[in-house]
């Protein structure tokens, strides 16, 4: 089953990292399904869709989804994870 995504989710994801994380999660699930349904906005007043912002978001989403599709590299990291500040 694909998860329908409304245009509002895209609008919200433009402005919030939390919403972007949710959108990425949903789109990752939809990627496995191979398709998803884009729903329109049913809010009153309707959400303002900034085409430029959506295009930017779409590019980021595509890059993140492409990265997820690749197998994880199993080489040793050269940067310490437990770095302390100060
Ligand atoms: Zn809306």
């Amino acid at each position: 089953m694909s998860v329908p995504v409304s245009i509002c989710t895209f609008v919200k994801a433009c402005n919030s990292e939390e919403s972007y994380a949710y959108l990425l999660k949903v789109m990752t699930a939809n990627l496995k399904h191979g398709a998803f349904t884009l729903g329109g906005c049913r809010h009153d007043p309707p959400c303002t869709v900034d085409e430029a912002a959506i295009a930017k978001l779409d590019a980021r989403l595509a890059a993140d989804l492409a990265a997820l599709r690749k197998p994880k590299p199993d080489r040793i990291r050269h940067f310490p994870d437990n770095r302390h500040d100060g």
Side-chain angles (χ1 to χ4, degrees):
M1 274 291 287
S2 71
V3 185
V5 185
S6 79
I7 189 70
C8 315
T9 308
F10 282 88
V11 173
K12 273 191 232 158
C14 289
N15 306 311
S16 151
E17 284 301 309
E18 204 176 78
S19 297
Y20 180 77
Y22 167 76
L23 177 65
L24 185 63
K25 201 174 99 182
V26 168
M27 292 309 278
T28 304
N30 283 336
L31 191 71
K32 283 175 194 147
H33 182 74
F36 80 102
T37 311
L38 181 65
C41 176
R42 287 184 193 164
H43 294 121
D44 185 24
C47 299
T48 311
V49 179
D50 182 340
E51 295 288 346
I54 296 285
K56 226 165 145 185
L57 181 83
D58 201 47
R60 182 184 172 189
L61 194 64
D64 281 353
L65 288 174
L68 283 170
R69 287 177 100 154
K70 281 180 200 148
K72 288 203 173 95
D74 60 348
R75 64 198 175 111
I76 297 158
R77 287 164 62 121
H78 293 283
F79 299 101
D81 284 324
N82 57 346
R83 200 174 53 180
H84 295 285
D85 289 321

